[in-house]
Amino acid sequence: MILTNTPNTAKQRKEHRLLVSVRFAAVMHAIRYPHANPMDSERVQQRLQDLEIHLFYNNATQLFHQQFVGRTGELGHSYSLYIDPRSGKALVSRVSADNLTTLNLVGA
C-alpha cells in the first residue's frame, strides 16, 4: 500500500499528503455515518477534487500510477481508490465482501 511507503521526493510527498487527506475524510465520514457511501461526503469529494487537480497538472509518480490509475488500489483497510485513466476522475469506495469481486474485476 502506498500509504505505508516513506515518500522520497517532493512529488511523492504531495501525493502522500493528498491520499492521507482523502482517507482521513472517508474515515471521518464513516464514523459519523457508518453505512453510508464515502462519495456522499462533501469533504471526501473536495479532497478527491484536490487530487484530480494535482494529477491534471502533474504526472503521477510511477508507484502512484501502478497502484491507482486504471485499477482499484487500497486506501487503508476498508477503502479503495480508483482513478479513471481516460477522464482522471477519482472514486472512493468501501471494501466489503459484497463488492470485492467487482473491485477485482475493475482492477484487472
Side-chain angles (χ1 to χ4, degrees), residues 1-5 12 15-16 19 23 51 55 60-77 79-85 91 95 103-104 106-108:
M1 183 173 79
I2 199 168
L3 292 176
T4 60
N5 296 338
Q12 287 177 342
E15 289 173 353
H16 187 269
L19 287 172
R23 184 176 188 282
L51 179 62
L55 294 175
T61 60
Q62 183 178 6
L63 179 62
F64 186 91
H65 196 276
Q66 289 172 348
Q67 181 115 20
F68 297 110
V69 178
R71 58 184 55 91
T72 303
E74 186 179 1
L75 187 66
H77 295 293
Y79 297 99
S80 62
L81 175 68
Y82 174 79
I83 298 178
D84 188 308
L91 300 169
V95 176
L103 291 175
N104 283 332
V106 170

Side-chain angles (χ1 to χ4, degrees), residues 18-66:
L18 290 167
L19 287 172
V20 168
S21 70
V22 169
R23 184 176 188 282
F24 184 74
V27 168
M28 294 307 291
H29 181 72
I31 289 172
R32 230 172 168 189
Y33 307 103
H35 301 292
N37 182 356
M39 290 301 293
D40 293 340
S41 168
E42 287 183 30
R43 186 166 284 162
V44 170
Q45 290 179 7
Q46 179 61 44
R47 301 301 189 269
L48 289 175
Q49 186 178 17
D50 294 343
L51 179 62
E52 290 168 0
I53 290 169
H54 169 75
L55 294 175
F56 181 78
Y57 289 109
N58 304 290
N59 291 327
T61 60
Q62 183 178 6
L63 179 62
F64 186 91
H65 196 276
Q66 289 172 348

Side-chain angles (χ1 to χ4, degrees), residues 35 93-105:
H35 301 292
S93 59
R94 184 182 291 259
V95 176
S96 67
D98 298 334
N99 68 356
L100 195 56
T101 306
T102 305
L103 291 175
N104 283 332
L105 291 175

